[in-house]
Amino acid sequence: MPVPWFLLSLALGRSPIVLSLERLVGPQDATHCSPGLSCHLWDSDILCLPGDIVPAPGPVLAPTHLQTELVLRCRKETYCDLCVRVAVHLAVHGHWEEPEDEEKFGGAADSGVEEPRNASLQAQVVLSFQAYPTARCVLLEVQVPAALVQFGQSVGSVVYDCFEAALGSEVRIWSYTQPRYEKELNLTQQLPDCRGLEVRNSIPSCWALPWLNVSADGDNVHLVLNVSEEQHFGLSLYWNQTGPQIITLNHTDLVPCLCIQVWPLEPDSVRTNICPFREDPRAHQNLWRAARLRLLTLQSWLLDAPCSLPAEAALCWQAPGGDPCQPLVPPLSWENVTVDKVLEFPLLKVHPNLCVQVNSWEKLQLQKCLWADSLGPLKDDVLLLETRGPQDNRSLCALEPSGCTSLPSKASTRAARLGEYLLQDLQSGQCLQLWDDDLGALWACPMDKYIHKRWALLWLACLLFAAALSLILLLKKDHAKGWLRLLKQDVRSGAAARGRAALLLYSADDSDFERLVGALASALCQLPLRVAVDLWSRREMSAQGPVAWFHAQRRQTLQEGGVVVLLFSPGAVALCSEWLQEGVSAPGAHGPHDAFRASLSCVLPDFLQGRALGRYVGACFDRLLHPDSVPALFRTVPVFSLPSQLPDFLGALQQPRAPRPGRLQERAEQVSRALQPALDSYFHPPGTPAPGRGLGPGAGDGT
């Protein structure tokens, strides 16, 4: 049921009348009484045992009225406790009985009987105090002189300082004599809280003085709690209801630190606290969705989140073009992150390509280029890492998607080709130093001028070619027309023959599934497609490693306008679940040539950041896996079931120049015929009568 926020504002109430309290110095209890009376406080508390009522032997002192007053008991000027001062008003009850001898003989009583009538009265008065969770009983000895003894008249009061109690608690006080001649007096009182007392700077629990203010911001309602940074607090929003209740919580509002407190609205009731969402995956997802990285100054930032959480952060370098952000660890290190605490990285200068990555439980949860908003978009700069060793040895490498390329180098990467120019720029002071310590340094070197030089040469070549072509057209107009027609046909046929690049990724569940994948890749090669699959590049992948091989193939495929095909199987789904939901990886999915596992580290950011559509497609085999079993994150791109959806699958692979529908159906039949023997061998292996082999979760029936 929705929270009636206007009732919450009414429940907070107005500010009560503020009371100023008397201060008592010292921790010792004390007692004092009215003039003419004498009183004494026992040194220690007694057991709270009222006992039965007994007849009074004559005139006795009895409590007639209880009165309380709030005071402060202070050990220091700003360290006080709330205390209840109790005043007990006493009166003489009962009378002297006439001696039987006087009534019998009619004579006056002897002096031994008259003496008590003129004597003083004594009484032991018990004060019993209860305030959850404590209870105390103290004993006060009171003596009234004979001159004040008047039957039925008040003789004064005795005051006890004092019973300590908690703010806002309910206290109960009883008073009776020992032995007890009459029914005890009792008093129940509700103590005020911090808002009703002038104690903000005196009682530690009131230092925060939790004034709650309710403010509206459009459809949102803000509860403003004015507490200091050092104060820990709990907040309960509760319904004051009777009978069974069903309370519905919106799943988007669940976070790990959301707790529930339940208690009956009765005196001294125990409150039950539960925090049921600490381990709830949905609550942790909501927490990270609500978390934000916020830049404060050029070198300081903080993490905003609804709850405290274990996390660590590091810097990474984000190059333009969509490649994954590369962590700068080492040379920098991971730093522990505290929510709402200002953090600083040891940077000399900042750069728009520097981003912050936040990990929790070894998973990337947040990434933001904090300085891109203030310093502009990402730059096409190269980050140089300088490593310093003993005896003033120094080495340099350029950070690239494939790794850190040593300078100078004979590799075929862009940084290696421009290595000499980068070193010259570094020596001439044209590179920006971002970080420096005894072990190394980071430098950002601009690449714009080299790109401009290349474009200038290219434009010059294009202009010369256009001028020569124009001259030929003028000289031989008729021959030029025929030559242009032939050139146009050659370009079209060459583009069609070259085809679109396609990178096929799969999980190596078993050897039979690998043969099925190989058959699919071979069938696709019969079309105008250039297919890359790790089955055909085992030697190259073993030399480079699965991660480096996949990064190079993915980058080349996407730069050429190609497409990455994610071929899902039960093992692939298990691997994806392991990354997304900390599931258990599938058996056999950890082979030395498993490019699918290696690819998830940079495939996932494309899906999480919405860059996958048009660059990725998914596929699975009929009877092995249903498309609905693919994790929801990967279903943001088309997922096709093969071979039943081959025409649509081939159309997606050959975009943006898909063939005509008739031609597409013809190619789908061609691929299906080439693939069918491998499918029959996989689902109906020799010697197995049942076709149920390899069925994954949600596998279809092939119809």
Side-chain angles (χ1 to χ4, degrees):
M1 90 178 75
V3 178
W5 295 108
F6 70 95
L7 292 181
L8 176 61
S9 63
L10 293 177
L12 296 178
R14 302 176 181 176
S15 299
I17 299 175
V18 178
L19 303 178
S20 180
L21 304 182
E22 178 185 346
R23 291 171 175 261
L24 302 179
V25 179
Q28 298 299 324
D29 296 343
T31 184
H32 56 89
C33 45
S34 301
L37 305 183
S38 61
C39 51
H40 172 70
L41 172 66
W42 274 39
D43 294 336
S44 59
D45 291 0
I46 64 172
L47 294 176
C48 301
L49 299 174
D52 297 329
I53 298 177
V54 298
V60 293
L61 290 177
T64 59
H65 179 60
L66 290 176
Q67 188 175 355
T68 60
E69 179 185 359
L70 297 181
V71 295
L72 291 178
R73 169 172 283 170
C74 300
R75 294 164 178 80
K76 297 180 182 179
E77 180 67 22
T78 59
Y79 196 91
C80 302
D81 293 310
L82 187 64
C83 216
V84 180
R85 171 185 289 167
V86 182
V88 184
H89 294 266
L90 303 171
V92 179
H93 287 182
H95 54 82
W96 294 111
E97 295 182 358
E98 293 294 334
E100 294 182 0
D101 293 343
E102 180 179 353
E103 183 177 333
K104 181 176 181 180
F105 299 105
D110 59 21
S111 59
V113 178
E114 289 291 342
E115 185 178 357
R117 295 175 182 263
N118 298 325
S120 62
L121 289 180
Q122 292 185 355
Q124 291 184 335
V125 180
V126 177
L127 281 177
S128 175
F129 180 87
Q130 290 187 7
Y132 182 82
T134 61
R136 291 184 60 196
C137 282
V138 296
L139 182 63
L140 310 176
E141 290 186 342
V142 184
Q143 185 173 0
V144 181
L148 297 179
V149 176
Q150 297 181 11
F151 301 116
Q153 299 295 321
S154 174
V155 296
S157 62
V158 59
V159 178
Y160 171 73
D161 283 332
C162 58
F163 293 110
E164 294 183 6
L167 288 159
S169 63
E170 183 182 76
V171 299
R172 296 182 177 184
I173 305 170
W174 290 268
S175 180
Y176 51 88
T177 58
Q178 194 176 38
R180 187 158 65 98
Y181 303 118
E182 297 180 359
K183 186 178 180 180
E184 68 270 13
L185 293 178
N186 65 81
L187 173 66
T188 301
Q189 184 176 0
Q190 183 71 39
L191 301 185
D193 57 14
C194 297
R195 296 180 298 168
L197 301 172
E198 196 176 282
V199 292
R200 182 184 179 96
N201 299 321
S202 301
I203 298 180
S205 59
C206 290
W207 288 348
L209 193 59
W211 286 96
L212 271 175
N213 294 322
V214 181
S215 62
D217 181 13
D219 294 334
N220 298 321
V221 176
H222 300 297
L223 297 181
V224 181
L225 183 60
N226 182 22
V227 296
S228 61
E229 293 182 358
E230 298 81 11
Q231 181 75 20
H232 296 275
F233 66 91
L235 178 65
S236 298
L237 301 179
Y238 67 92
W239 282 265
N240 186 358
Q241 300 285 353
T242 58
Q245 298 288 324
I246 297 178
I247 300 173
T248 302
L249 299 177
N250 193 332
H251 70 91
T252 59
D253 297 331
L254 303 182
V255 289
C257 61
L258 178 62
C259 301
I260 300 172
Q261 187 179 81
V262 184
W263 70 96
L265 294 178
E266 298 177 359
D268 301 336
S269 60
V270 178
R271 300 193 176 196
T272 301
N273 297 278
I274 57 173
C275 299
F277 310 111
R278 285 178 177 170
E279 307 299 331
D280 194 323
R282 297 171 302 172
H284 284 271
Q285 292 175 4
N286 293 337
L287 173 62
W288 284 111
R289 287 193 190 101
R292 295 291 183 270
L293 294 175
R294 185 155 56 92
L295 184 66
L296 301 178
T297 66
L298 282 181
Q299 292 186 335
S300 63
W301 59 280
L302 60 78
L303 172 64
D304 280 334
C307 306
S308 298
L309 44 87
E312 54 184 4
L315 286 175
C316 64
W317 180 262
Q318 179 65 67
D323 289 316
C325 196
Q326 297 174 280
L328 302 180
V329 179
L332 300 179
S333 60
W334 289 97
E335 301 288 343
N336 291 328
V337 178
T338 302
V339 173
D340 295 332
K341 182 179 180 181
V342 178
L343 298 172
E344 291 187 3
F345 284 114
L347 297 173
L348 300 176
K349 298 288 184 180
V350 293
H351 193 279
N353 293 30
L354 285 176
C355 304
V356 176
Q357 287 183 335
V358 179
N359 279 15
S360 181
W361 304 113
E362 298 183 356
K363 274 194 173 184
L364 177 63
Q365 301 290 356
L366 280 179
Q367 177 178 308
K368 186 175 181 180
C369 300
L370 295 175
W371 296 277
D373 294 337
S374 57
L375 301 181
L378 301 179
K379 297 182 179 180
D380 194 17
D381 292 357
V382 171
L383 187 69
L384 299 185
L385 171 59
E386 177 184 350
T387 304
R388 297 166 184 164
Q391 300 178 355
D392 203 20
N393 291 332
R394 190 176 75 162
S395 61
L396 283 169
C397 68
L399 192 64
E400 295 186 284
S402 59
C404 206
T405 305
S406 300
L407 297 181
S409 173
K410 296 182 179 180
S412 59
T413 63
R414 182 181 71 161
R417 291 192 296 268
L418 300 175
E420 295 183 2
Y421 300 104
L422 293 173
L423 293 176
Q424 292 175 5
D425 290 346
L426 181 61
Q427 294 174 358
S428 62
Q430 298 184 40
C431 297
L432 179 66
Q433 188 174 17
L434 306 179
W435 171 78
D436 182 50
D437 75 350
D438 296 336
L439 300 179
L442 293 175
W443 306 81
C445 298
M447 297 287 289
D448 296 343
K449 57 183 179 181
Y450 305 117
I451 296 175
H452 293 161
K453 288 181 180 178
R454 287 189 171 188
W455 278 110
L457 293 175
L458 182 61
W459 277 111
L460 180 60
C462 291
L463 289 174
L464 291 175
F465 177 77
L469 185 60
S470 299
L471 181 61
I472 293 174
L473 291 175
L474 290 174
L475 293 176
K476 295 185 177 180
K477 197 172 184 180
D478 295 333
H479 294 287
K481 288 182 179 179
W483 179 76
L484 286 175
R485 281 195 297 269
L486 292 176
L487 180 62
K488 186 175 180 180
Q489 293 176 358
D490 291 342
V491 170
R492 286 182 176 177
S493 61
R498 190 167 181 263
R500 191 184 188 193
L503 174 60
L504 186 60
L505 297 178
Y506 68 97
S507 172
D509 291 5
D510 51 48
S511 58
D512 292 338
F513 186 73
E514 284 189 319
R515 284 193 288 271
L516 181 59
V517 173
L520 175 63
S522 300
L524 293 178
C525 286
Q526 300 177 15
L527 308 178
L529 288 172
R530 292 180 292 111
V531 181
V533 64
D534 65 339
L535 283 172
W536 302 338
S537 306
R538 285 289 170 83
R539 180 178 299 177
E540 180 183 353
M541 189 172 64
S542 298
Q544 297 181 8
V547 176
W549 180 86
F550 168 74
H551 284 316
Q553 293 294 327
R554 169 187 168 277
R555 184 183 180 189
Q556 180 180 351
T557 300
L558 296 181
Q559 284 181 346
E560 295 176 357
V563 62
V564 178
V565 180
L566 302 177
L567 188 58
F568 288 99
S569 63
V573 170
L575 284 174
C576 294
S577 300
E578 177 183 353
W579 277 79
L580 295 175
Q581 302 175 2
E582 299 185 354
V584 181
S585 59
H590 302 276
H593 308 299
D594 190 1
F596 189 83
R597 166 177 284 274
S599 69
L600 288 178
S601 60
C602 67
V603 166
L604 282 176
D606 286 344
F607 281 85
L608 291 172
Q609 298 173 14
R611 300 196 306 260
L613 194 60
R615 307 168 77 183
Y616 293 81
V617 296
C620 58
F621 289 109
D622 296 339
R623 294 187 293 165
L624 182 63
L625 190 75
H626 195 278
D628 291 342
S629 299
V630 175
L633 178 65
F634 296 97
R635 281 188 271 121
T636 56
V637 300
V639 179
F640 303 98
S641 185
L642 306 181
S644 59
Q645 296 179 335
L646 260 176
D648 296 334
F649 175 64
L650 297 181
L653 292 186
Q654 296 183 268
Q655 287 180 350
R657 292 190 177 185
R660 296 185 303 274
R663 180 63 174 162
L664 191 62
Q665 183 64 34
E666 181 181 340
R667 291 178 177 177
E669 294 175 357
Q670 177 184 352
V671 172
S672 180
R673 286 193 300 270
L675 186 60
Q676 194 60 44
L679 287 171
D680 294 339
S681 176
Y682 184 79
F683 289 106
H684 306 282
T688 57
R693 168 188 177 168
L695 292 181
D701 58 1
T703 59

